[in-house]
Each structure stands twice: as C-alpha cells, then as structure tokens.
Amino acid sequence: MKVLIFDTVTSAVEAVADRLAGKVAGKPDCVLGLATGGTVEPVYEALVARYEAGRVRFDQTHTFNLDEYVGLEPTHPMSYHSYMARHLFDRTDFRACNTHIPHGNAADPAAEADHYERLIKGRGGIDLQLLGVGENGHIGFNEPTSSLSSVTRLKTLAPETVRANSRYFEHQSDVPQVSITMGIATILQADEIALLATGSNKAKAVRDLIEGPLSAMCPASALQLHQKTEVYIDAEAAAELSLRDYYEAVHPGGKIGHP
Ligand code: PGA
C-alpha cells in the first residue's frame, strides 16, 4: 500500500485526477471503477477541467460505479445516476453505453446485483478503482461487519451512513436504507485502487484502514490485502497515523517513487 500524504486537499485531489487521466491516456478503453460522495466531487471537477482543456478524452473509456440506492429512480436528484451525470458524464464525452451504475429501481434488486457483478467480469474487470471511505470505514456501501469476501449484493446502510447521507435529503424519511453495492471481493479484484480521503473526520478511518488490524469492523482495512493500492490523503486525514514520518520519508509530498 502506498500512503501518499499531501499538504492540502487540492494537491491530493489533483494527484488523484492525474492518476485517473493518466490511466485513460495510456489505455483509452480502460475500465474505471468510480465512486460518489463529497470527497470525490472535486476529482470530477478536475477531470472536467482536463477534458475541457483538451488534455484527456473519455469516448472509449468504460466505467462501473460502486453503488446505488435501492428504491430511487435514476432521475431522482439524489440518485448516484444523477450525481454522476451532474458531476462528470454530462460534462465530458463519456458514452452512455459505456457507463454502468446499478439500477436501484430494478424490479428484482437482488437479481440486478448479480447481473452487475457479471457485467463487471464480462468487461474483463476493473483496471483502476477510485474509492472514498466512510467515517465508519466503509468502502462502497460495505458497512462494518460486511464479509471481506462479499460480491455485489444488497446491503442495508448503517445508521451512521443514513445520518451522514441525510444532509442531502429534504426529509429524514426519504433517506434510503438499502443499497446495491459492489462487494469487498469485487473491489479487491480491481487491478489498481486509488482511495482519496480528506479532512479530520476521516482521520480515524484512515488510520484503521492503513495500520489495521485487518477486520470486517473496518471494511477498508481489506485493502491491506490488495497489491496495488494508493491512499491519497491530506494532512488532516493523516493526523492519526502512527508511522506518518515513515510514509512522508518514502513519498515526500505524496510523490510516488523511492527516495
Ligand atoms: P463522502 O463519502 O466523500 O461524502 O465522505 C465517502 C464514502 O462514504 O465512501
């Protein structure tokens, strides 16, 4: 695991955007795994800026999002379909037929989850997966105590996740309780992973995911089993790391490479 600590949120975000854009430049028809949430919004903004400047194009790139709320129509403003359209897809040249998000409004959501897992495999798997992390250590909607071997399935959201998401909904009763999410094993099958976490509210989750123990109580700690994971964090999110000096010596300023 590469622990990359940046002075500012902006520099961490720019590094993640460079990582994604670099992957697409090197392999235009690559398969990206994408995430939603407040943390990755500026990453999409940075990708749109690179697209508008003519530095990257996405017309051959495939995407699979991590998750979607069960029960929301894709057109619902709080659905992850809407989020992705608003922040990335409608502002760039991604082709609709190449972008995939679970259908939370499927008549049979469990069958939709199985289908989604097969779709990912059928596409040859994910080349580079972008991740955020929840304050409770979730990745996707794999809440604490999720099986570390889980695949795409239905998952009931933890109360703290429902609370965190409620800021986006007008009425508490509208906040979805169930999601379709890639599983932890699904995520671990990605060739490469880039996780972004910023802000002091993520410091504990960042410590638990990097320094362990490996535990279903912190689903993101499963990334310790993955060979090519990079964790991009700002100074605030790095605050609780016990080996921070070591990480900063290995990757000064978040630069990849050995000193
Ligand atoms: P956030 O969500 O970026 O909105 O904090 C991250 C997550 O829950 O994975």
Side-chain angles (χ1 to χ4, degrees), residues 37-39 132-134 138 167 202:
T39 310
V133 64
H138 74 199
R167 68 190 192 273
K202 298 294 173 69

Side-chain angles (χ1 to χ4, degrees), residues 108-121 151-154 180:
D108 183 345
E112 166 67 6
D114 292 344
H115 171 68
Y116 197 73
E117 183 78 17
R118 284 196 301 275
L119 264 186
I120 297 170
K121 286 208 170 68
V151 296
T152 307
R153 69 207 184 292
L154 299 184
I180 297 174

